[in-house]
Amino acid sequence: ERDVGDPRTSGAEQLVEQVFLGAMAPKVAKKPAAAGARDRSRSAPGGGKPGKALEGLSALVLGLERRPDRWKRCEDMLNKEVPWLKHEFFRATDGKADTIPDDEVAKTWNTKCNNFYGAYEDVLDKDGKILYTAAQFADPGVDYEFSPGERGCAHSHYRMWQKIAEGDSPVLILEDDVQLIFKRTTGRQATGRTFTARFELGMEEAIKRKAEVLYLGWSGHRAGNYKHHVPVRGRKNPLIRKAEYVWTTVAYVLWPAGAKKLLAASKPMDQPVDNFMAWECREGRLESYVLLDEGDKDDLWSGGIVTQLDFNGDSDIKKSDGGDQGDDPTEYLAKK
């Protein structure tokens, strides 16, 4: 491994001169997991202590009160791997038990917007009869009821946006299945040290560009892998890329300006929260970026410096449209 310099003293510019990521062909999927095994090679100096760009940053860790096991795992990991990060538990709205105002999160949503990037198929009933064709998911779109977990998740993020909008500093939002330790593409291990080093560099770049959202874990379309947006010629930034439409909300930094925009658009929130944020970005109403790690090249569908723990096996959120978890795409159809 070759260390390319201390992020606290060299800044992002030194790394930019040494790394160049070329464009390659994108892949297509509907809602993949936040990240797979990816290449990382940087180790943080000074025991993983943050520099100026991360100074004073705090995190909200979203979780259900009825899942203390998930909170304990996440808290133990954060205390061990990133002891510099001040964090607090944020009680999630329980979609099965709590009252959610209809003017904050709608009860139904339509697939038309997500279809621009998703990969929907014909939906059949138990007898094999077609309920909706793939073409109908695109136009006029298929109406789904939010699953209780989806609606609770959306309202939880809405409440965190309210909290951040009242402040004057960015906040890191983490869901309690976030994972900092995982195997990279090259077989090396991601750790709190590599997380801190790359996060520092990414935040430096995000601040320069007046970002409103910075995804630390993501999947979907971004600069270097656009689907509908027109690529900009020239050298691509090896640290952060402009998002087009990316899924997952497992870990993202949100600035107060971005929180205010999201709240203003939530009249009510009419998509699952990751779709909703992605569409606001896609339409040019939200300055969103993704953070690349050193192994995240343009042929990778997902990337970042975090992943999700047991994405398919231990989720409290059913995907109303089926998602990549293989949930029943007929269960929450608004009209069957």
Side-chain angles (χ1 to χ4, degrees), residues 243-261:
E244 178 183 359
Y245 193 96
V246 298
W247 291 282
T248 75
T249 51
V250 68
Y252 64 97
V253 179
L254 181 63
W255 277 260
K260 292 173 184 177
K261 287 183 177 181

Side-chain angles (χ1 to χ4, degrees), residues 9-248:
T9 57
S10 64
E13 292 83 357
Q14 179 179 348
L15 186 60
V16 170
E17 291 301 316
Q18 300 180 53
V19 182
F20 176 74
L21 300 179
M24 298 181 69
K27 300 177 181 178
V28 178
K30 181 168 66 173
K31 280 192 176 182
R38 300 180 299 274
D39 178 57
R40 315 307 191 261
S41 62
R42 189 180 179 89
S43 293
K49 295 180 181 179
K52 185 176 180 180
L54 297 179
E55 186 177 357
L57 184 71
S58 62
L60 298 175
V61 182
L62 179 65
L64 289 165
E65 283 186 331
R66 57 183 167 85
R67 291 302 305 269
D69 55 317
R70 293 172 64 125
W71 163 239
K72 183 180 186 307
R73 181 210 65 87
C74 188
E75 184 180 35
D76 288 347
M77 177 188 66
L78 295 176
N79 287 337
K80 178 181 178 182
E81 298 295 332
V82 285
W84 58 266
L85 180 61
K86 181 181 178 182
H87 57 273
E88 63 178 283
F89 180 79
F90 189 92
R91 179 192 175 277
T93 302
D94 191 334
K96 295 180 178 179
D98 296 330
T99 299
I100 301 173
D102 293 349
D103 61 351
E104 294 179 355
V105 180
K107 291 183 176 179
T108 62
W109 67 282
N110 184 278
T111 63
K112 184 173 184 177
C113 294
N114 195 52
N115 185 80
F116 277 89
Y117 298 92
Y120 289 105
E121 301 174 347
D122 294 350
V123 170
L124 313 178
D125 66 14
K126 61 182 180 180
D127 298 319
K129 177 183 177 183
I130 293 179
L131 296 175
Y132 292 99
T133 66
Q136 288 175 299
F137 279 92
D139 188 16
V142 174
D143 290 330
Y144 274 99
E145 297 176 355
F146 282 80
S147 73
E150 280 179 327
R151 198 158 184 254
C153 181
H155 191 246
S156 300
H157 283 267
Y158 181 95
R159 289 167 44 232
M160 288 189 288
W161 300 345
Q162 289 178 314
K163 183 178 179 71
I164 294 168
E166 294 172 354
D168 56 10
S169 300
V171 175
L172 173 58
I173 290 176
L174 299 173
E175 295 177 340
D176 63 7
D177 58 350
V178 66
Q179 179 64 291
L180 304 186
I181 311 301
F182 54 92
K183 187 177 181 181
R184 307 166 184 169
T185 302
T186 57
R188 291 189 291 267
Q189 190 87 338
T191 66
R193 293 172 64 87
T194 61
F195 172 89
T196 301
R198 195 68 177 183
F199 193 9
E200 174 79 24
L201 291 167
M203 281 292 285
E204 288 178 5
E205 291 294 298
I207 291 167
K208 289 178 186 177
R209 286 159 177 73
K210 301 186 185 309
E212 294 168 341
V213 176
L214 178 64
Y215 290 95
L216 306 192
W218 48 270
S219 55
H221 295 276
R222 36 72 184 188
N225 183 15
Y226 279 154
K227 183 171 183 179
H228 297 293
H229 285 186
V230 178
V232 177
R233 290 184 178 182
R235 171 173 285 194
K236 297 179 180 66
N237 192 305
L239 295 166
I240 65 172
R241 299 285 181 86
K242 192 74 172 62
E244 178 183 359
Y245 193 96
V246 298
W247 291 282
T248 75

